[in-house]
Amino acid sequence: PLLAEVADFQMQVRAPDGIIVASGGPIERRGNAWQFQMPNARSIAFSASSSYEVATRTEAGVTIYVFYLRENAFEADAVLMAASRALILFNDQFGHYPYRSLVIAQDAYLSSVASGGLVLHTGQGFEDYTGQPDTLLMSLLPLTMAQLWWGEMVGYHPLAEPWLGASLAMYSEYLYLERYQPEMRDWYWSDRVEYWQPEGPLNMTAYDLKTTEGLLQNTYRMGAKFLHELRTSIGSAAFRNLTRDLFRNGAFKFVSGVEFFDALRRYSYEYPQSIIDRYFDEMVAMPTLPPPLTPRPPPGP
């Protein structure tokens, strides 16, 4: 887990002839030097390959780029469609993605990860894709794209309160299925959540969770269960107001659990204390968070 304030990144990558470099932010290429700029980001990353092809699609004023290996054109089309759908949904559910480009690059690994304007997406998922929606390629995409909103744009303390961003990202996968593939909702709860037998209070710190597996099962999957009960209790419209409030007031800053529950009070007719008590242990000491720096204004397109 990494705690990072926003910064203005400038990155230059020098690559041999024939290498294509993918990263978030505007691009300028001069010979073998690739220039990238990413304002108000918490991290910057890149991926490079001699076999990259590029597929693009513009949705809601944002151009989505998918960098994929030549043999994975079929999979890239599926990723492009799913990313377009996720962008539309998250713009509505959370708040508008503030940049004009969103880059997804096939990686060489099992997992996916988000950085400034960039999703490095599961290479294993590309290789194993069968065209079915219950595959790694599809399930990880909305989850990791959501981390551009919850983690990259809206910051939180991943050591002291890992549940906050992880819960919202994992539950975003369910919101995606609910909107576009409602027949997959039961599969999500049985295979993506309950299969892993998550347990433990949500307000444990990364130091309390001794293994990476424990961190993932507790914060992501218990977090998704908590948010689903919360949304069922207060209603979908109120939950949307809650997430939009968190994004509006937390973009390019840090939000804390205290701010989450303060916002929840504003949008719940009856405060769901009994649900909170089931997921949060009052015996776990709540950490003291560092004071946020003076926030920057949101970047222009």
Side-chain angles (χ1 to χ4, degrees):
L2 176 67
L3 177 67
E5 290 277 5
V6 294
D8 295 335
F9 287 93
Q10 294 182 331
M11 179 174 67
Q12 181 183 91
V13 180
R14 294 188 180 275
D17 292 338
I19 299 295
I20 304 296
V21 182
S23 181
I27 181 174
E28 180 182 359
R29 184 181 179 184
R30 297 178 181 176
N32 286 18
W34 301 69
Q35 306 273 357
F36 300 94
Q37 297 184 26
M38 198 68 201
N40 276 8
R42 299 183 194 277
S43 62
I44 193 167
F46 73 91
S47 183
S49 174
S50 61
S51 299
Y52 269 156
E53 302 284 346
V54 184
T56 66
R57 177 172 180 161
T58 299
E59 196 71 66
V62 178
T63 301
I64 302 171
Y65 298 84
V66 177
F67 288 77
Y68 62 94
L69 301 185
R70 294 178 187 130
E71 62 270 23
N72 295 125
F74 171 71
E75 293 81 2
D77 286 343
V79 168
L80 197 57
M81 173 61 73
S84 299
R85 288 176 165 181
L87 179 65
I88 292 170
L89 173 63
F90 297 162
N91 277 349
D92 175 68
Q93 182 74 45
F94 308 144
H96 278 274
Y97 180 79
Y99 304 108
R100 285 183 176 168
S101 65
L102 194 161
V103 179
I104 300 170
Q106 179 177 349
D107 66 25
Y109 305 101
L110 175 68
S111 60
S112 300
V113 65
S115 184
L118 171 69
V119 170
L120 296 169
H121 197 37
T122 169
Q124 190 68 51
F126 275 87
E127 292 180 12
D128 295 344
Y129 185 58
T130 61
Q132 299 302 311
D134 59 344
T135 54
L136 195 64
L137 186 72
M138 293 292 100
S139 62
L140 285 185
L141 185 64
L143 188 161
T144 313
M145 275 188 62
Q147 291 175 336
L148 296 174
W149 279 258
W150 308 112
E152 287 297 316
M153 287 183 274
V154 177
Y156 67 100
H157 200 309
L159 290 165
E161 295 184 310
W163 71 270
L164 191 52
S167 299
L168 288 161
M170 185 73 194
Y171 193 55
S172 297
E173 182 184 334
Y174 177 79
L175 296 176
Y176 177 91
L177 294 175
E178 181 183 64
R179 171 73 65 89
Y180 298 112
Q181 294 164 318
E183 72 280 2
M184 299 285 294
R185 288 177 294 180
D186 289 344
W187 169 85
Y188 173 86
W189 294 115
S190 63
D191 287 41
R192 293 285 288 151
V193 177
E194 297 297 350
Y195 172 83
W196 302 97
Q197 300 179 344
E199 60 181 4
L202 269 180
N203 52 315
M204 289 192 288
T205 71
Y207 301 108
D208 299 318
L209 298 158
K210 302 302 183 184
T211 66
T212 300
E213 182 179 355
L215 180 69
L216 293 174
Q217 307 321 342
N218 176 272
T219 59
Y220 282 80
R221 291 175 169 87
M222 288 297 289
K225 293 175 66 173
F226 165 64
L227 291 182
H228 189 59
E229 284 197 43
L230 202 62
R231 181 167 173 254
T232 301
S233 172
I234 69 175
S236 298
F239 186 82
R240 176 180 177 272
N241 290 334
L242 169 65
T243 53
R244 290 183 67 85
D245 184 304
L246 290 171
F247 184 80
R248 182 174 62 251
N249 293 307
F252 310 106
K253 297 180 287 186
F254 287 116
V255 296
S256 67
V258 171
E259 291 169 295
F260 176 91
F261 292 114
D262 285 345
L264 176 60
R265 285 185 175 88
R266 292 195 290 272
Y267 298 108
S268 54
Y269 177 75
E270 183 176 343
Y271 191 66
Q273 188 63 55
S274 61
I275 296 175
I276 296 168
D277 290 343
R278 284 202 302 276
Y279 285 93
F280 292 82
D281 186 354
E282 64 181 2
M283 300 303 292
V284 177
M286 295 301 289
T288 300
L289 301 180
L293 300 181
T294 302
R296 299 180 177 206

